[in-house]
Amino acid sequence: ANYGSFEEISLPSYTIPGASAAMGGFRSIVSPGMLLDYRRFRADSIASFAGDQVRIISEAQEAASIPRSSQEITTNSPGGVWDKAMNPNLFFNEMLDFVSYDNYPVWGGSLEPEAPSLVAMQLDMVRCWGRRRPDSNSFGGFTIAEQLIGAQGHDIIGFTPRPDQAVAWSAQTLAHGADSLLFFRFRAAAFGQEEFCYGILDQSTPLGTGRKWNEAKKVFSLAREHEKLWLAPLVARVAVVYDTDNIFAWQAQPQSTAFDFTDEAHRFYHPFWRNGMSVDVFSSERLVEVPLSNYDVILLPAPMMLSDSLREELKSFVLDDGGSLWVGFRADIKVSTNSQMRTDPSFLAKLAGVSVTEFESINVGMPASPLQSASTTLNDNGTTASGSVWRDGLSIIDETCDETESVWDYADDEFFGGLGLSAITRRQLSNGGEVVYVGTGIDPELLVPLATATLDRQGLSNQCTVDDGVIDPQSLERIVRNDMEGNAWVIQINHSGELVKSSTGVEIPPFGVVVEPVME
C-alpha cells in the first residue's frame, strides 16, 4: 500500500480474545507483516532516540574541548531484551563507546533466582552486543552497570540473595567477559521509588560494616588478583545465532502459549554450558564481521524466519567446512515479510535429512508429548522424557537415511508415535559435518549427552570434563579461559547453598569461587 503520511497508518491494537493483553504484549489479528514492521519501527525509534542523545552529548563535548576518549558514552541495558521490541546491536555496536548491562538474577517478586546457565547465556549475549576486539577473534568486554547485591523491589521485594551469592553472580559476570562492575547500590535510600532496592549498605548500616560490605570486598579482591585473566579475550568456538526479525515474528505470533524465545535459546545453550564451553550469543546481522567459519558449532533456536544470506552461510558451514549445526522447531517456514513460504520442505529440515510430516502446538495446560530414547549410544536404553511448547513430527528422508538417525522418538500411539515420527534427529555427514534437528521442547539437561557427542565430533578439547564428560552437580559452573599471557585457568563457581565437590576433587563452599591454573 502507498501512504501519504504517517497519520494514515493505524497502529496495531490488542485484539486477541480469550487471554490477557499482558500475556502477548501487542499481539493482534492484523497482518503479520504489519506486526513485524511495527516492531522494526519501534526498535529503530529506540536506536534513533539513543543516537540523538549521543549527538547532543558529543556536540557539548566538542564545544567544551573534551575529547570523547576521556568521557565515553554508554547506557545501561535492562534484561529481558528478547521480550521487547528493541535491538541493542543498533546502538551499542554503532553509536555508544562500550556496552553496559544491569545484572539482576532476581528482582521484586522473584520466588527464586534464574538458573545459572540462563544468567550465563544472557551475559554472553550482552558481550556480543559490542565491538569486536582487533587483537583477537572475539567480542570486547562490557560493563556491569548494576550488579544486584541486596534485596530488591519497588513495591514487592523478591528473593533475598543468600550470603556470598552476590559474590558468585559477580564472578560469573567476570568469567563471561565483563571487564568492570558496579554494585547497585552503595547505600539504600531512605525515600523514593527505589528505597527498597538495598545495596552494599542498608539505609542505616554503619560505613565499613556488614555482611554485604565484606562480600563486595571479596569481589574486588577477586578482580584484582586475576586482572590479566578477566581482561584477556574470551574466544568461543560455539555460537548461538539469533535473528532479531525472527524474534519479532515470534512475538507477534507465538503459536503456543508456552512459547518463549529466551527459553528456546536456553534449551540449546544449556547443554554446552554444562560441558564447560565458552559460547558467543550474537545476532545474524553481525555476520558481516563475524563469519561462521570462526566456529565449530552453530546453534539456531526456533529459526522460523531465515534470511537468504544466512541460509547460504549455513549451507557452506555444514557441507564445505564440516561444522555442526543444531536447528530448532518451525525451521525457516517464513520469509522476510513474515509470510509463510510455499516451498516444502524447509531448507534447514532438508539439510538435517528430514521432512516435517506433522506438527502441533502444545499450549499451557495441554498434556506433554511422551518421548522415547531411540539412540542407545547417546542415552540409556529405554529412557523416557516429554516434549512441551511445540512438536514437529520428523520423517527421515530416503536419500539421507544412511547418515541420519533418530535420537528421540514420539511415544504416543494415537498420533505422532503411531506414525513412527521422530522428535530429535542427528545427521552425520562424511565430511565431518553434522545437523541436529530438535523438534520439540525437551528438558535441556537431556540434551547434554548429544552436546557432548557434537563436541567430540568437532574435536573440541574440553578441559572441564573428567571421565563421564559431564559437570556434576548442575549447580557447578566451570569454564576454562586463557589469560593475557596465554596461561589457561579453570574458573569454578558453586551456584548452590551447599558444599559441592568437583570431579577434580576440589571442595567448593556454598556460592564459593575457585580460580586455578590448568595443570598440564
Side-chain angles (χ1 to χ4, degrees), residues 279-327:
V279 181
D280 283 345
V281 181
F282 68 92
S283 170
S284 60
E285 64 199 271
R286 304 296 299 274
L287 287 173
V288 175
E289 53 185 318
V290 190
L292 294 186
S293 58
N294 285 357
Y295 303 94
D296 298 294
V297 181
I298 298 295
L299 311 175
L300 280 185
M304 181 169 64
M305 182 181 295
L306 192 70
S307 68
D308 292 340
S309 59
L310 180 55
R311 184 179 290 108
E312 290 304 310
E313 289 217 33
L314 292 171
K315 181 179 178 180
S316 177
F317 175 75
V318 173
L319 300 182
D320 299 331
D321 301 336
S324 289
L325 172 66
W326 281 35
V327 176

Side-chain angles (χ1 to χ4, degrees), residues 13 23 38 103 136 160 181 196 209 236 241 271 281 347 438 461 487:
S13 58
M23 178 182 137
Y38 181 45
N103 189 41
S136 67
T160 297
L181 178 147
F196 293 149
T209 65
V241 179
V281 181
F347 162 76
V438 180
S461 175
N487 303 308

Side-chain angles (χ1 to χ4, degrees), residues 483-496:
D483 63 21
M484 298 174 70
E485 297 174 350
N487 303 308
W489 296 77
V490 59
I491 306 156
Q492 301 182 89
I493 305 172
N494 178 9
H495 290 285
S496 77

Side-chain angles (χ1 to χ4, degrees), residues 54 72 113 163 171 180 232 393 436 453 481:
V54 170
E72 294 182 316
S180 55
V436 173
R481 286 184 57 182

